[in-house]
Amino acid sequence: MSVELNHTIVHARDNRESAEFFANLLNLEITAECGPFIAVALGNGVTLDFATVPADSIAPQHYAFLISEEEFDAAYAQIRQRGIEHYADPHRKQPGAINHNDGGRGVYFMDPAGHAMELITVPYGGWTL
């Protein structure tokens, strides 16, 4: 049996603001709007379905995205250009920096709803054959 993640719902104070923030940062498309959801498609067929919920009911989550070196360059340029606070570490002790873990690069930042976003160019533990 093959199991694949199809979508996940991302709670937001404003679904459009969060979907556009994410899509614009990573040069992705908003692919559908259905009921309370605005979907952003990822390269592996998974969608992030942003839903507006009351701010006090948002439990901050962590979302990590594996991207190419070129995509990292473009996203990191956007992060810096837009003045988005970012860190080399998940504990936010290395502000304004990126990391070089496992032979790649990574960066952490918050989305408009307070979710911790992470961009990496190499999976943790490195590439395996």
Side-chain angles (χ1 to χ4, degrees):
M1 175 180 202
S2 174
V3 177
E4 296 181 1
L5 180 64
N6 177 265
H7 69 277
T8 192
I9 296 170
V10 180
H11 289 171
R13 290 186 303 264
D14 178 323
N15 61 354
R16 177 151 313 278
E17 175 189 32
S18 288
E20 288 178 354
F21 170 87
F22 185 74
N24 291 338
L25 184 67
L26 293 173
N27 196 29
L28 299 171
E29 292 185 31
I30 292 175
T31 55
E33 295 185 38
C34 182
F37 305 109
I38 297 179
V40 176
L42 305 178
N44 58 350
V46 174
T47 62
L48 299 181
D49 295 358
F50 292 87
T52 299
V53 300
D56 62 353
S57 68
I58 296 173
Q61 300 293 315
H62 173 78
Y63 297 94
F65 302 94
L66 181 61
I67 62 177
S68 71
E69 291 288 340
E70 295 78 17
E71 290 164 328
F72 188 92
D73 289 338
Y76 190 60
Q78 283 284 321
I79 288 169
R80 294 181 58 204
Q81 187 175 63
R82 292 160 68 179
I84 298 170
E85 286 186 35
H86 60 282
Y87 306 86
D89 65 305
H91 305 291
R92 298 190 246 173
K93 294 185 180 188
Q94 299 174 49
I98 63 171
N99 66 56
H100 297 275
N101 296 331
D102 296 311
R105 295 181 290 164
V107 67
Y108 297 82
F109 58 96
M110 306 304 278
D111 85 338
H115 297 297
M117 304 297 220
E118 178 183 7
L119 305 177
I120 57 175
T121 60
V122 173
Y124 285 105
W127 295 106
T128 58
L129 298 176

